[in-house]
Amino acid sequence: RMRHVWNNYVDWGAANPDQLIVMHKIKVWEGLKPEVRDALMERFAELHDLTMNVINEGRNKEIPQDFLIAMFSSQAETTMQFCKLNPSESKLYKDKGFEMFWNGVT
C-alpha cells in the first residue's frame, strides 16, 4: 500500500509542478490558519494512516510521525524532480526512490 501511495504522489507531483509549489508554500506559511492546514493534511489521510501503521507495527517507534512524513515528502519530491527532468527514466526513479525510503523506514 505504501508503494501505491508513493507512486501516485510522485506521479501527481511530476505532472503538477505548479500545484506542488503551492502546496510547499502552504506547508511552510506561518500565518496559515489551523483549519486550512488540517484540510490540506486531510488530502493526505492515507499517507498518515500508513505511517501510523508502520509506527504501530513496531517499526521505528522512536521516529516522530511528523518527521517520518517530512522524510517521505522530501524523498518523494526529489524523485518527482528527476521524473520530470527525465520522463523515460521515471520507473527507475520511482522504484529506487521508494526502495531508499522504505529501507530507511524499515
Side-chain angles (χ1 to χ4, degrees), residues 73-85:
S73 295
S74 63
Q75 288 181 284
E77 290 164 16
T78 298
T79 302
M80 289 172 197
Q81 293 301 318
F82 278 82
C83 289
K84 182 181 160 200
L85 293 172

Side-chain angles (χ1 to χ4, degrees), residues 40-104:
L40 177 64
M41 293 313 293
E42 200 172 296
R43 293 186 156 259
F44 297 94
E46 185 176 4
L47 175 60
H48 175 271
D49 292 345
L50 286 171
T51 57
M52 284 306 296
N53 288 342
V54 168
I55 291 168
N56 291 333
E57 287 173 6
R59 296 180 185 136
N60 286 322
K61 284 188 176 187
E62 71 279 1
I63 298 177
Q65 183 185 11
D66 292 354
F67 182 68
L68 188 60
I69 290 173
M71 292 302 293
F72 174 91
S73 295
S74 63
Q75 288 181 284
E77 290 164 16
T78 298
T79 302
M80 289 172 197
Q81 293 301 318
F82 278 82
C83 289
K84 182 181 160 200
L85 293 172
N86 195 353
S88 65
E89 296 293 322
S90 288
K91 182 171 179 1
L92 171 73
Y93 295 135
K94 285 193 297 188
D95 289 347
K96 292 302 177 184
F98 180 79
E99 183 180 314
M100 292 166 69
F101 168 74
W102 193 247
N103 287 341

